[in-house]
Amino acid sequence: GEKVEQHESTLSVREGDSAVINCTYTDTASSYFPWYKQEAGKSLHFVIDIRSNVDRKQSQRLIVLLDKKAKRFSLHITATQPEDSAIYFCAASVYGSSGNKLIFGIGTLLSVKP
Amino acid sequence: VTLLEQNPRWRLVPRGQAVNLRCILKNSQYPWMSWYQQDLQKQLQWLFTLRSPGDKEVKSLPGADYLATRVTDTELRLQVANMSQGRTLYCTCRTGTGINYAEQFFGPGTRLTVL
């Protein structure tokens, strides 16, 4: 079946450095790739997404890159701050009989150390 | 602005007992409603997407059996039975599907613990 692999299960960076989380997907028909942030004990919060008609999107300190040929996408967090510490999930949309569903990666626990 | 309300927010479930969850949509511009489960290892998995009142689906997964119902345009329900491991159930909503697929919002979640 469709899969999304998230390559870093944990990531530790110093405040002010950049953090990069990488994901790959298997369904060539996937066209929508969102990222979610989950703080401890809380729900998922949408942070940024990218569609297959572009290869780069930026929102403030967040940059998403998409390489459709390699079926790879990544989240870059620049100038990290301690409040960026959380679990980050990548996902890819898959279209089936019930419409679209999201297939999630396993999550990356990001720690930003002061 | 809160788009989704879920209740209960948490529940202790005696082994063998079923539990009923509700999700209320606060903005009808996001009619595509879904259920996702998050297991104790934080892994997220899509369960159901129900668009229209009257839609009903069942599914059995490792650790629980599910029955989902779209009751009205604003209410989605989930019955969880035969749960052997704890999990959190999230209700989600979005504006469209197919090429109109867009940002999906997650509700606050219902955390279930097996007694």
Side-chain angles (χ1 to χ4, degrees), chain A residues 91-113:
Chain A
S93 68
V94 172
Y95 190 80
S97 56
S98 301
N100 292 94
K101 62 182 180 183
L102 292 178
I103 305 295
F104 283 88
I106 60 168
T108 296
L109 176 61
L110 174 65
S111 300
V112 179
K113 300 191 186 313

Side-chain angles (χ1 to χ4, degrees), chain A residues 31-32 34 36 38 40-46 49 51 87 89 93 95 98-107, chain B residues 32 36 38 41-46 49 57 90 94 96-109:
Chain A
S31 60
Y32 177 75
Y36 287 86
Q38 186 175 37
K42 295 190 177 177
S43 180
L44 279 81
H45 177 73
F46 171 86
D49 59 12
R51 294 183 184 278
I87 300 176
F89 291 94
S93 68
Y95 190 80
S98 301
N100 292 94
K101 62 182 180 183
L102 292 178
I103 305 295
F104 283 88
I106 60 168
Chain B
W32 288 86
Y36 284 78
Q38 186 172 40
Q41 290 71 46
K42 300 291 186 188
Q43 183 61 54
L44 288 151
Q45 183 173 355
W46 171 83
T49 298
E57 284 191 39
Y90 290 104
R94 62 181 195 263
T97 191
I99 61 170
N100 297 316
Y101 195 95
E103 182 181 343
Q104 183 158 244
F105 296 92
F106 278 70

